[in-house]
Amino acid sequence: MGTFGRLGGIAAIALLAASGVVAFATIAPTPDGAIEPPKRPIIEALEIRPDTAPAPKSYFREELYQRGDTLPAFVERLGIEGPHAARLAKLRVMQQLRPGTHVSAEVSADGEPIVLSFLSGRETLVRIAAEANGFFRVTDDKAQLYTRVAMKSGVVQSSLFAAADEAGVPDSIAMQLGDVFAGDIDFHRDLRKGDQFAVVYELHYLGGRPVRAGRLLAAEFTNNRKTFRAVHFSNGYYTPDGKNLRKAFMRSPLEFSRVSSGFGMRRHPIARAWMKHQGIDYAAPTGTRVRAVGDGIVEHAGMKGGYGNVVIIRHNGQYATVYAHLSRVTVRRGARVAQNDTIGAVGQTGWATGPHLHYEFRVGGQARNPFSIAMPAANPVAQQDLPAFRNHAAPLIARLDLIANSALAQLE
Ligand SMILES: [Zn+2]
């Protein structure tokens, strides 16, 4: 899959160059000139004999700061010896380290730090240089990031996150993919083995290495043989013909996340007896975030018989949604909520045999199957913006086509 992704990238560049399509304005030019090899060969006499080659005085190391890491242990993992590691870990600037950050270090042969650097959450390059007196000099400069467009595709075997991992798609892009199609696909109930996705996204580089993913620019998701496509434009996502992908209601009250996505393939037996049950049960661990599927006003928040802790939201028109058995309720009666706002967490209060979310979608007071109701969408691209949208979307759609064709070629 990794090789395929790279080949796909090369092919895409060739295709885009051939068709005269240029990258759009949001992509910064890449400083390729800076990494070009020198024009003239450089020849130097080497006089080092292998048996007398000195050991290097210092070496470079890079480590990923991970969730659960303690600063002293992490610094030691960079090859920095105990007392130095303890002093470094006490620096205030080190508290800026967030899980998922790569830290580079130059360390002397006897374990003394020389220079550490990492990218802060504010897009600055933090540099910590050791000084002769045992102090550290900290600089924090605007990082010279540059952006390239990455393309990846994958096939769902067990969960969407597993497929994203397999394809080398960053978590933040997988999450954006889940958000973009949240109005069309319930990633907890609808996901099928064999579903496919393709993503085109920004990848920010620093010093030749990818450091962070940016926005999802375009995406395709084939769910149960039905294909959805999305293109980022202005401040939203649209189908290639300009329809808004944002719907008045999201398909699922649970967001697509690493914690909950493992339940995607599981069909709750109760879901099949829908008419009798009047709702949908989502099996998910206690504490999983529950979100409002649409804008509305909280009509009820608290205990209510067999529902346990329940939130009821009244939406525009005749719609209401019900979220039951919550372990925690984080909204109050009368509060205004927006789509995707957190309203509580999954639990098993009331008549529940295990942690799950009981969800109802009511129309005119009657529980209905939300999957049988056509959800109204937000506004499409305005008529006067359509030419600009088409110009912007064309190269992105070309990339999606290219990924789709490459994936087909792989299957044959
Ligand atoms: Zn239920």
Side-chain angles (χ1 to χ4, degrees):
M1 260 303 162
T3 326
F4 159 59
R6 261 197 302 285
L7 289 175
I10 292 162
I13 290 159
L15 174 118
L16 293 173
S19 62
V21 178
V22 291
F24 18 97
T26 51
I27 305 302
T30 60
D32 279 339
I35 54 167
E36 263 182 26
K39 298 271 186 293
R40 283 173 294 128
I42 299 166
I43 299 163
E44 285 179 47
L46 291 178
E47 286 194 8
I48 301 165
R49 297 208 307 269
D51 55 334
T52 60
K57 287 203 181 70
S58 68
Y59 54 92
F60 293 88
R61 207 134 153 195
E62 189 181 89
E63 287 286 338
L64 180 66
Y65 185 63
Q66 286 163 311
R67 207 169 293 286
D69 263 335
T70 65
L71 276 175
F74 172 70
V75 172
E76 283 191 40
R77 211 158 70 226
L78 286 161
I80 295 164
E81 297 285 331
H84 306 294
R87 279 193 305 120
L88 261 171
K90 285 202 189 96
L91 290 180
R92 186 182 294 174
V93 68
M94 292 295 283
Q95 314 295 327
Q96 291 183 11
L97 265 182
R98 297 181 314 177
T101 306
H102 287 274
V103 178
S104 319
E106 185 183 0
V107 182
S108 78
D110 44 2
E112 284 184 42
I114 299 170
V115 177
L116 269 76
S117 62
F118 61 89
L119 194 66
S120 78
R122 304 181 317 280
E123 307 268 292
T124 58
L125 184 67
V126 174
R127 208 166 167 277
I128 305 165
E131 306 230 288
N133 53 14
F135 287 92
F136 296 102
R137 174 197 289 272
V138 177
T139 54
D140 194 352
D141 296 313
K142 186 93 196 97
Q144 291 299 310
L145 292 182
Y146 59 99
T147 305
R148 284 183 177 167
V149 174
M151 303 192 294
K152 293 275 167 67
S153 68
V155 180
V156 175
Q157 300 297 344
S158 58
S159 80
L160 184 45
F161 258 112
D165 286 346
E166 174 79 16
V169 172
D171 275 15
S172 67
I173 296 300
M175 301 284 289
Q176 289 181 61
L177 180 69
D179 286 345
V180 166
F181 295 117
D184 292 299
I185 302 168
D186 178 344
F187 284 98
H188 300 270
R189 285 169 41 91
D190 300 345
L191 213 58
R192 297 284 181 277
K193 190 178 158 97
D195 280 359
Q196 295 180 32
F197 65 89
V199 284
V200 178
Y201 59 97
E202 296 170 332
L203 197 52
H204 303 302
Y205 285 75
L206 180 71
R209 279 201 311 273
V211 286
R212 195 170 57 74
R215 285 174 309 175
L216 181 63
L217 300 172
E220 178 180 291
F221 201 97
T222 302
N223 173 235
N224 208 5
R225 277 170 298 203
K226 188 172 179 204
T227 297
F228 300 90
R229 278 184 163 187
V231 172
H232 181 264
F233 180 67
S234 180
N235 51 10
Y237 287 88
Y238 298 87
T239 62
D241 56 351
K243 291 197 190 76
N244 204 320
L245 276 146
R246 195 180 119 90
K247 302 280 164 44
F249 298 101
M250 291 170 145
R251 281 294 180 192
S252 172
L254 296 183
E255 74 187 333
F256 164 65
S257 74
R258 210 172 258 289
V259 173
S260 52
S261 76
F263 294 83
M265 311 304 284
R266 197 176 297 173
R267 303 290 279 173
H268 197 283
I270 292 170
R272 276 187 231 120
W274 197 88
M275 287 313 287
K276 214 170 158 192
H277 181 74
Q278 307 277 287
I280 297 169
D281 286 334
Y282 290 88
T286 295
T288 303
R289 183 173 96 89
V290 176
R291 64 189 181 186
V293 295
D295 299 348
I297 289 168
V298 177
E299 191 177 80
H300 177 94
M303 293 299 282
K304 193 175 193 168
Y307 280 124
N309 263 324
V310 58
V311 171
I312 301 174
I313 299 175
R314 177 148 306 279
H315 305 281
N316 255 347
Q318 49 184 352
Y319 301 109
T321 48
V322 179
Y323 314 76
H325 309 312
L326 303 174
S327 60
R328 216 169 54 234
V329 169
T330 57
V331 287
R332 293 215 179 138
R333 190 177 167 201
R336 194 170 284 278
V337 290
Q339 184 175 70
N340 201 24
D341 279 357
T342 302
I343 55 167
V346 170
Q348 57 179 102
T349 54
W351 301 337
T353 51
H356 76 281
L357 176 70
H358 170 94
Y359 171 62
E360 289 176 24
F361 190 90
R362 294 179 180 166
V363 183
Q366 296 290 307
R368 296 274 301 275
N369 184 346
F371 298 95
S372 65
I373 297 163
M375 301 290 184
N379 290 333
V381 175
Q383 197 67 36
Q384 71 269 22
D385 295 332
L386 270 177
F389 171 73
R390 290 202 187 99
N391 272 341
H392 169 84
L396 292 170
I397 293 164
R399 283 169 189 254
L400 289 179
D401 286 340
L402 186 85
I403 305 172
N405 291 340
S406 310
L408 275 180
Q410 271 228 325
L411 289 175
E412 279 161 7

